[in-house]
Amino acid sequence: MSLNLSDLLAALGLLLVLEGIAPFLYLQGLKRAFARLLLIKDRELRFAGLGSMLVGVIILFWVR
């Protein structure tokens, strides 16, 4: 299967919708969560980012 521009734009649109839900519905909680991120060590945040990317790649391979 090939990835075309409409698939990429649909995925980007869905990402933006999902990213916008938390600040729209629960702004104060999101602000507190971001403030807590400052207390987490860089290494732990990088590991969480790596884990998130790996799960995303696995999902993409599974779906495609």
Side-chain angles (χ1 to χ4, degrees):
M1 289 184 220
S2 66
L3 178 73
N4 59 31
L5 186 59
S6 65
D7 288 340
L8 184 61
L9 290 176
L12 179 61
L14 182 59
L15 172 72
L16 292 173
V17 168
L18 293 174
E19 288 285 328
I21 290 173
F24 181 74
L25 294 178
Y26 195 55
L27 183 59
Q28 294 305 315
L30 186 66
K31 285 182 177 183
R32 283 193 303 273
F34 283 151
R36 292 181 73 194
L37 282 175
L38 295 174
L39 304 175
I40 298 174
K41 295 179 182 172
D42 290 351
R43 185 170 189 258
E44 294 171 353
L45 283 175
R46 287 184 191 271
F47 185 73
L50 176 62
S52 176
M53 289 188 298
L54 290 175
V55 168
V57 167
I58 290 168
I59 290 172
L60 285 173
F61 276 114
W62 181 60
V63 168
R64 290 296 193 169

